[in-house]
Amino acid sequence: MRRQLLLAGNWKMNKTVAQTLDFISTLEARLGEGDPPVLLFPPFTALYSARQRIRSIHLGAQNMYHEPGGAYTGEISPAMLREICEYVLVGHSERRHVFGEGNNDINRKILRALEYDLIPVLCVGETKAQRDGEQTFDVLHNQLETALEGVEKPQVLRLTLAYEPVWAIGTGDTATPKQAQQAHRFIRRFLTQRGIDAGKIRILYGGSVKPANCVDLLSRPDIDGALIGGASLQVDSFFDIIQKSKTVKKSGG
Ligand code: PGA
């Protein structure tokens, strides 16, 4: 089955409210009929203003805490997010590696996000040492298995997945389309083997996606979109990726 491409921009700890609004106005003025769905993950501080300004772009948060509320100074709950956005990133490699989140934390977040009707974008991916040690598929297997523990099969269909090899994030060192396709295919098979209709699930690729490499990546049969960091910070490069994605023809599935 054909999955519609999704192009997502993860801004990380970048952009003030004013910069966010400016970006959204400029991008939406350029987007038109026939453009693929676009999703932005601005910082928390700009989410509400973004919601007010946005017309066609989808909106997500970069993180959340797994508790619905309470004495958790500095954290943001799913109940707070569901008023403002549809998506939430869960398990981004910077959350895992800079902030020490483990697969069990990620599982709690997934369960809670689904309970609050948010769409989790679950990120998985191996480090350079793990790839060099030929552990990529074991790592992906473990990350997926723990993250999805206790998630009912129909609920899994509500997720979006993202394969983001850690060594490719922010490094300019992109996975080759072949490497990315192999990992995406592995993820889809993992889901299929668990009785999930994985053909319906979008799997995004993330890690140094740029206008120059996006078409090769997005052309692969199991790559259903991109999660873009650096190149989503300027309207020109992000819009360029969106336009180039329209030339992508999928061959088979
Ligand atoms: P990058 O980031 O495009 O700057 O490599 C991707 C991501 O972290 O989602």
Side-chain angles (χ1 to χ4, degrees):
M1 93 164 241
R2 183 66 60 88
R3 294 166 295 271
Q4 193 183 19
L5 292 178
L6 172 70
L7 297 172
N10 171 17
W11 287 352
K12 313 190 179 188
M13 200 173 70
N14 293 292
K15 294 200 191 291
T16 62
V17 173
Q19 290 167 336
T20 299
L21 295 179
D22 194 39
F23 184 106
I24 288 170
S25 300
T26 312
L27 181 60
E28 287 204 323
R30 292 197 202 172
L31 290 173
E33 293 261 323
D35 281 320
V38 173
L39 165 63
L40 284 177
F41 293 95
F44 285 131
T45 46
L47 265 184
Y48 185 71
S49 328
R51 167 87 289 143
Q52 309 296 308
R53 178 69 55 97
I54 264 171
R55 292 191 307 270
S56 64
I57 296 173
H58 299 271
L59 203 55
Q62 296 175 18
N63 184 32
M64 58 163 238
Y65 194 55
H66 68 267
E67 292 291 351
Y72 304 102
T73 301
E75 293 295 326
I76 305 278
S77 81
M80 296 166 186
L81 292 179
R82 74 183 290 192
E83 287 185 323
I84 308 176
C85 57
E86 312 155 62
Y87 289 82
V88 61
L89 275 182
V90 179
H92 187 276
S93 83
E94 285 143 24
R95 298 303 315 172
R96 292 176 190 264
H97 298 286
V98 183
F99 299 100
E101 283 183 21
N103 287 328
N104 290 322
D105 301 308
I106 289 157
N107 175 241
R108 283 192 278 270
K109 291 184 186 204
I110 296 278
L111 289 166
R112 196 68 88 177
L114 289 169
E115 189 183 323
Y116 279 81
D117 273 336
L118 291 159
I119 303 170
V121 179
L122 169 62
C123 304
V124 293
E126 81 290 358
T127 62
K128 174 95 173 70
Q130 289 164 336
R131 176 160 283 269
D132 291 346
E134 298 186 359
Q135 295 164 347
T136 298
F137 296 133
D138 289 341
V139 170
L140 295 178
H141 183 280
N142 289 341
Q143 289 177 339
L144 290 166
E145 187 143 272
T146 317
L148 297 177
E149 213 173 293
V151 182
E152 304 287 334
K153 281 179 200 161
Q155 294 280 79
V156 176
L157 290 177
R158 298 188 42 226
L159 265 73
T160 294
L161 270 75
Y163 169 60
E164 296 210 308
V166 180
W167 48 273
I169 296 178
T171 57
D173 202 6
T174 322
T176 63
K178 188 174 169 201
Q179 287 171 323
Q181 165 58 25
Q182 279 172 342
H184 283 234
R185 176 59 56 96
F186 176 86
I187 292 169
R188 210 177 297 284
R189 286 217 179 112
F190 172 96
L191 296 170
T192 305
Q193 280 161 7
R194 273 153 187 74
I196 292 153
D197 190 359
K200 292 188 173 152
I201 297 185
R202 271 198 191 114
I203 309 175
L204 312 179
Y205 169 79
S208 298
V209 176
K210 305 265 178 303
N213 61 23
C214 64
V215 171
D216 275 354
L217 287 159
L218 294 172
S219 305
R220 297 292 164 143
D222 286 291
I223 302 184
D224 310 316
L227 182 53
I228 306 153
S232 75
L233 290 172
Q234 276 81 43
V235 176
D236 284 347
S237 49
F238 193 47
F239 185 67
D240 200 6
I241 293 173
I242 296 167
Q243 294 314 295
K244 288 198 159 76
S245 76
K246 294 199 291 187
T247 67
V248 168
K249 300 261 180 306
K250 294 285 193 188
S251 56

